[in-house]
């Protein structure tokens, strides 16, 4: 048993020199002194089997070995502890990269802020919507050809209500118009900014994009209010020297309907190489169609209103002057691209 004890001590001396981490040190302690199967502990259990006159001297030796191991472990632990906290405080720190909001989040905040100043309240409605709110109530009955322009995503579930029809992913923010009217609180001044979904993808289209939709309904609202509101937005968002013009157009849910153009930021409307004619197209607008007011439960002989709905991506990129030749880059989560802004 004496020789076994000596062998254990020799083993330990060899092993302790190899230890480089506190984790390994803990493991070594368990291996030698562990209460359950530590090699020293196991050997001590056999003390009782020795002849009586041997127990004393062997026990003393065993304790010596045990103390030697415990001291060795403690010394090694001090060295390793010191190494692990020996940090050179004079080294320059590692700066963590600072992120920023995504371009479109910034755009949405700026747009909401401008409209908030003239009393337009930001609203939110479901992105999985009934056909009724997305089309039917907006003066686009089933089978109407105007629906084809929207490249709609349909949800693969049977309709549960004849009037509401199928479920769709909101193809435009206009679906919020009827929901707002149905709340029955007039006048209405809302700005609905939301994701829209269409089955389209190419350099200038993504299947998920954003629109902002303004709706104002009150007694005596006319086209000059529409023009004034849009000019206010344009001058606050793009700059005081910018102005707009209305160009007649057709939409099912407005009458009359317009496309809104903004004067070119470079030539201010005179015409230059960038814009050719001096004007750039922003998006659609118009006076709310009486059928739409009716669908929203509003008396069209008393109330009138205007609405406009534009793409956030397109509007923001026009402001920033950033020329992105592929709109899909906005949503690729490529930091190399996003960090440029
Ligand atoms: Zn120009």
């Amino acid at each position: 048993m004496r020789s076994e004890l000596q062998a254990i001590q020799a083993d330990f001396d060899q092993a302790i020199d190899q230890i480089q981490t506190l984790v390994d040190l803990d493991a070594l302690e368990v291996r030698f002194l562990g209460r359950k199967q530590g090699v020293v502990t196991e050997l001590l259990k056999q003390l009782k089997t020795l002849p009586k006159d041997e127990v004393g001297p062997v026990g003393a030796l065993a304790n010596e070995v045990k103390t030697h191991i415990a001291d060795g472990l403690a010394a090694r632990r001090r060295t390793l502890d010191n190494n692990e906290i020996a940090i050179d405080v004079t080294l320059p720190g590692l700066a963590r990269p600072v992120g920023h909001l995504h371009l479109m989040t910034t755009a949405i905040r700026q747009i909401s802020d401008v409209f908030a100043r003239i009393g337009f309240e930001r609203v939110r409605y479901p992105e999985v919507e009934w056909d009724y709110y997305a089309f039917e109530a907006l003066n686009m009955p089933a089978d109407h050809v105007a629906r084809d322009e929207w490249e709609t995503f349909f949800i693969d579930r049977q309709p549960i209500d004849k009037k509401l029809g199928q479920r769709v992913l909101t193809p435009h923010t206009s679906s919020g118009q009827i929901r707002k009217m149905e709340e029955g609180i007039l006048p209405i001044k809302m700005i609905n900014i939301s994701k829209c979904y269409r089955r389209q993808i190419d350099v200038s289209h993504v299947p998920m994009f954003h629109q902002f939709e303004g709706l104002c309904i009150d007694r005596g609202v006319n086209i000059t209010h529409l023009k004034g509101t849009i000019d206010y937005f344009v001058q606050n968002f793009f700059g005081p020297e910018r102005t707009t013009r209305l160009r007649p157009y057709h939409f099912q849910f407005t009458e009359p309907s317009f496309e809104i153009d903004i004067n070119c930021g470079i030539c201010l409307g005179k015409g230059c190489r960038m814009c050719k004619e001096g004007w750039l197209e922003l998006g659609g607008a118009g006076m709310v169609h009486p059928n739409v007011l009716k669908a929203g439960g509003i008396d069209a002989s008393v109330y009138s209103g205007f609405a406009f709905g534009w793409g956030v991506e397109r509007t923001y990129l026009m402001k920033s002057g950033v020329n992105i030749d592929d709109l899909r880059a906005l949503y690729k989560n490529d930091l190399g691209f996003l960090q440029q802004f």
Side-chain angles (χ1 to χ4, degrees):
M1 205 159 164
R2 284 169 200 275
S3 60
E4 283 176 68
L5 281 165
Q6 281 155 0
I8 288 172
Q9 183 163 330
D11 266 359
F12 173 81
D13 288 345
Q14 208 185 6
I16 192 80
D17 286 339
Q18 317 285 324
I19 298 298
Q20 298 298 337
T21 68
L22 289 169
V23 175
D24 289 346
L25 188 70
D26 287 342
L28 190 72
E29 179 163 5
V30 171
R31 186 176 134 204
F32 281 89
L33 301 182
R35 264 194 267 166
K36 279 197 175 152
Q37 289 181 331
V39 286
V40 177
T41 321
E42 289 296 308
L43 201 68
L44 286 174
K45 283 181 194 164
Q46 296 170 27
L47 270 180
K48 327 173 235 194
T49 65
L50 291 174
K52 270 195 182 164
D53 55 336
E54 293 252 328
V55 173
V58 174
L61 179 63
N63 275 330
E64 260 177 53
V65 170
K66 206 175 162 183
T67 310
H68 174 84
I69 291 175
D71 288 351
L73 287 165
R76 193 72 191 159
R77 188 173 296 278
R78 277 192 299 277
T79 318
L80 291 175
D81 273 346
N82 285 338
N83 285 347
E84 291 200 359
I85 57 165
I87 297 163
D88 184 350
V89 294
T90 63
L91 283 173
L94 288 175
R96 288 187 182 276
V98 178
H100 61 76
L101 294 173
H102 189 273
L103 258 69
M104 287 309 113
T105 308
T106 306
I108 287 167
R109 290 189 178 183
Q110 289 180 2
I111 293 166
S112 330
D113 284 352
V114 173
F115 283 107
R117 276 181 248 147
I118 48 172
F120 281 77
E121 164 207 14
R122 170 106 192 252
V123 295
R124 289 173 173 82
Y125 293 107
E127 288 175 18
V128 180
E129 186 54 285
W130 301 107
D131 176 295
Y132 175 77
Y133 290 103
F135 294 115
E136 185 84 26
L138 295 172
N139 204 25
M140 283 186 278
D143 304 326
H144 195 286
V145 287
R147 287 183 173 217
D148 293 349
E149 291 167 32
W150 271 267
E151 301 281 0
T152 315
F153 285 108
F154 289 90
I155 303 292
D156 191 14
R157 296 276 294 274
Q158 286 300 311
I160 54 170
D161 181 299
K162 207 173 172 217
K163 178 191 159 193
L164 296 174
Q166 268 190 283
R167 266 165 283 208
V168 300
L169 297 186
T170 43
H172 50 187
T173 41
S174 304
S175 44
Q177 286 192 17
I178 300 292
R179 285 193 174 268
K180 181 68 184 171
M181 291 181 210
E182 282 181 348
E183 290 167 16
I185 303 163
L186 286 160
I188 291 170
K189 273 177 105 177
M190 72 158 204
I191 187 93
N192 180 23
I193 310 183
S194 174
K195 295 188 189 77
C196 298
Y197 305 85
R198 295 185 196 175
R199 197 172 50 81
Q200 52 182 17
I201 185 158
D202 58 40
V203 291
S204 51
H205 295 92
V206 281
M208 189 281 308
F209 59 104
H210 298 79
Q211 277 189 345
F212 61 107
E213 174 103 6
L215 177 68
C216 172
I217 298 175
D218 202 350
R219 292 168 196 263
V221 172
N222 60 47
I223 295 174
T224 60
H225 298 117
L226 166 64
K227 175 84 164 95
T229 302
I230 286 175
D231 280 347
Y232 179 86
F233 169 72
V234 159
Q235 280 158 13
N236 282 274
F237 190 75
F238 289 96
E241 69 288 354
R242 308 298 287 275
T243 184
T244 60
R245 70 175 185 190
L246 308 184
R247 192 158 36 80
Y249 201 72
H250 174 78
F251 298 109
Q252 274 301 112
F253 37 98
T254 44
E255 181 59 40
S257 304
F258 309 97
E259 287 266 89
I260 308 286
D261 294 336
I262 180 173
N263 61 343
C264 166
I266 298 166
C267 66
L268 297 179
K270 291 194 199 79
C272 68
R273 275 195 309 176
M274 292 299 288
C275 64
K276 308 245 166 34
E277 291 183 339
W279 296 89
L280 304 161
E281 185 190 319
L282 261 182
M287 301 306 291
V288 181
H289 196 289
N291 287 351
V292 176
L293 290 172
K294 207 172 128 197
I298 291 173
D299 184 348
S301 67
V302 178
Y303 288 94
S304 56
F306 64 80
F308 54 89
W310 304 346
V312 172
E313 284 81 356
R314 181 180 162 74
T315 306
Y316 189 72
L317 292 179
M318 280 173 75
K319 173 192 176 161
S320 63
V322 179
N323 209 347
I324 295 181
D325 51 16
D326 188 344
L327 201 66
R328 291 172 290 193
L330 285 173
Y331 298 113
K332 277 189 176 158
N333 291 334
D334 174 359
L335 285 181
F337 170 79
L338 293 171
Q339 278 168 348
Q340 297 172 54
F341 303 97

